[in-house]
Amino acid sequence: QVQLVESGGGLVQPGGSLRLSCTVSGTIFGIYMAWYRQAPGKQRELVARITTGGNTNYLDSVKGRFTISRHNVNGAVYLQMDSLKPEDTAVYYCNDYPTSWSWGQGTQVTVSS
């Protein structure tokens, strides 16, 4: 059973930055990975995806502000978030893509002045 542990969230002012980390207990070699988020009262949505070769795709609203990356040897996935906006407030999760693993606990990101 693969376990996912997200970290790096917190409270940040609008325009600030955060770097989220995700540690995967199993291998991520050959696996597409992604970050998702769920805001209060909303469905979980795909934020960013990264292929095994490092190609990336982003939700339109985060393009140019967020950067997903991966470290296959360490079994880690990262999300650098810059120019944060209040609408980015959500619980952020990592998982494979398409999702097949159980969700981790996520990490709360709150953007507020």
Side-chain angles (χ1 to χ4, degrees):
Q1 180 76 4
V2 172
Q3 292 186 327
L4 303 165
V5 180
E6 301 91 348
S7 62
L11 173 63
V12 63
Q13 292 186 342
S17 297
L18 285 172
R19 179 176 170 84
L20 306 184
S21 298
C22 171
T23 301
V24 183
S25 63
T27 182
I28 62 172
F29 279 97
I31 297 174
Y32 285 27
M33 294 297 299
W35 282 95
Y36 304 79
R37 69 186 181 187
Q38 186 167 22
K42 295 187 178 181
Q43 289 190 331
R44 190 172 292 165
E45 63 181 351
L46 175 66
V47 175
R49 180 183 66 184
I50 185 166
T51 69
T52 55
N55 292 320
T56 57
N57 298 95
Y58 297 93
L59 182 68
D60 282 348
S61 62
V62 309
K63 283 181 181 176
R65 300 189 297 119
F66 290 11
T67 304
I68 187 173
S69 60
R70 61 190 293 159
H71 195 297
N72 290 334
V73 173
N74 290 348
V77 185
Y78 307 98
L79 187 68
Q80 177 66 42
M81 306 188 296
D82 299 316
S83 302
L84 282 161
K85 303 177 180 181
E87 52 263 43
D88 295 318
T89 295
V91 179
Y92 284 72
Y93 303 86
C94 71
N95 212 319
D96 60 344
Y97 179 89
T99 57
S100 65
W101 298 330
S102 296
W103 295 95
Q105 83 287 350
T107 186
Q108 175 71 48
V109 172
T110 303
V111 185
S112 174
S113 54

